[in-house]
Amino acid sequence: MSGSTRDAVLNRIRRANGARPGDPERAKVVAERLGTAPRGIVPKRGQLPQEERVRLFLDMAEKANATVARVADYAELPEAVATFLREKNLPAELKLGADPRFADLDFSQTALSVTHGASDGDDLAALSHAMGGIAETGTLMLTSGPDNPTSLNFLPEYHVVAVAAEDVAGDMETLLAKLRETFGKGGMPRSVNFVTGPSRSADIEQTLLLGAHGPRSLHIVVVG
């Protein structure tokens, strides 16, 4: 569309709406809308006490073909990851980022060989930490950065994700509000990924294929 055609279309829309370029009243309405980020209608399904919310999250995650586990605290996380890899008969090798919640993890009591950083595509298993979970859909919210490189979300075939029980929210709107509060304008992560279950597709003959565009297995460990 050329510039003159675009301007003509926009001018017709303005006339139909009774607007004019640079209208201060309309600019004020837009600024208020962007500044307040109003919440839409939120279903009641996830509006539960915390423990019930976590149980709903785990149930919905399993329905989406993820596997789940719970540990009391982060000290138990290394063994939980080792158990998952062992039960899958996988090599005892793990890649993880620089999330501060992983800094004090003691893998010495496991057989795991741990490396850090982004994935180069050759890692079979990775461990990430989610910013939160959504109970009504069993979805994880993962933000990008050196603490949890996005490559760990998509390149390894087996993805283990830890999420704190206190960070499991009832709905996406609650997590989006937390995202804005945590990072603020101008400081948002480069990407935010919402992950529900392992990668899958049924595009070819309606046959479900796991690992079509990412990990073939997602294992969620709720901490706390």
Side-chain angles (χ1 to χ4, degrees):
M1 182 183 291
S2 67
S4 59
T5 302
R6 181 178 62 250
D7 291 341
V9 171
L10 293 176
N11 285 331
R12 290 184 63 182
I13 294 173
R14 291 189 186 101
R15 286 196 297 271
N17 290 332
R20 64 184 188 277
D23 185 337
E25 290 302 317
R26 293 179 67 86
K28 180 181 178 182
V29 171
V30 172
E32 290 177 350
R33 172 81 180 189
L34 293 175
T36 56
R39 289 166 64 95
I41 297 174
V42 178
K44 288 186 176 180
R45 180 169 62 173
Q47 310 310 304
L48 301 167
Q50 182 183 11
E51 182 56 29
E52 293 180 38
R53 204 162 58 231
V54 172
R55 286 201 298 268
L56 176 61
F57 169 73
L58 293 172
D59 288 344
M60 297 304 295
E62 288 185 308
K63 288 180 180 179
N65 297 117
T67 55
V68 301
R70 292 193 72 172
V71 295
D73 53 43
Y74 284 96
E76 297 180 15
L77 185 57
E79 182 56 38
V81 176
T83 298
F84 168 74
L85 297 181
R86 187 167 56 249
E87 290 178 348
K88 290 287 186 180
N89 198 30
L90 296 171
E93 298 174 355
L94 184 69
K95 176 64 73 70
L96 67 155
D99 193 291
R101 289 162 290 197
F102 295 159
D104 296 327
L105 294 186
D106 182 8
F107 288 94
S108 65
Q109 300 303 310
T110 72
L112 293 179
S113 173
V114 177
T115 55
H116 296 80
S119 176
D120 58 7
D122 292 330
D123 304 293
L124 192 60
L127 172 64
S128 300
H129 202 295
M131 186 173 182
I134 302 172
E136 64 178 348
T137 56
T139 300
L140 295 163
M141 183 174 78
L142 298 116
T143 56
S144 63
D147 51 345
N148 289 287
T150 295
S151 58
L152 299 184
N153 300 345
F154 299 109
L155 297 183
E157 291 199 31
Y158 296 86
H159 193 199
V160 183
V161 181
V163 61
E166 62 187 19
D167 292 333
V168 175
D171 49 81
M172 178 180 287
E173 288 79 2
T174 298
L175 282 191
L176 289 176
K178 177 182 178 182
L179 186 70
R180 287 190 290 268
E181 180 182 348
T182 301
F183 292 99
K185 290 185 178 181
M188 297 291 279
R190 188 171 187 180
S191 66
V192 179
N193 294 294
F194 291 91
V195 176
T196 309
S199 171
R200 56 199 180 277
S201 174
D203 290 344
I204 301 175
E205 297 182 351
Q206 300 301 299
T207 300
L208 183 63
L209 174 67
L210 295 179
H213 309 293
R216 67 174 61 250
S217 176
L218 174 67
H219 185 61
I220 302 171
V221 183
V222 174
V223 181

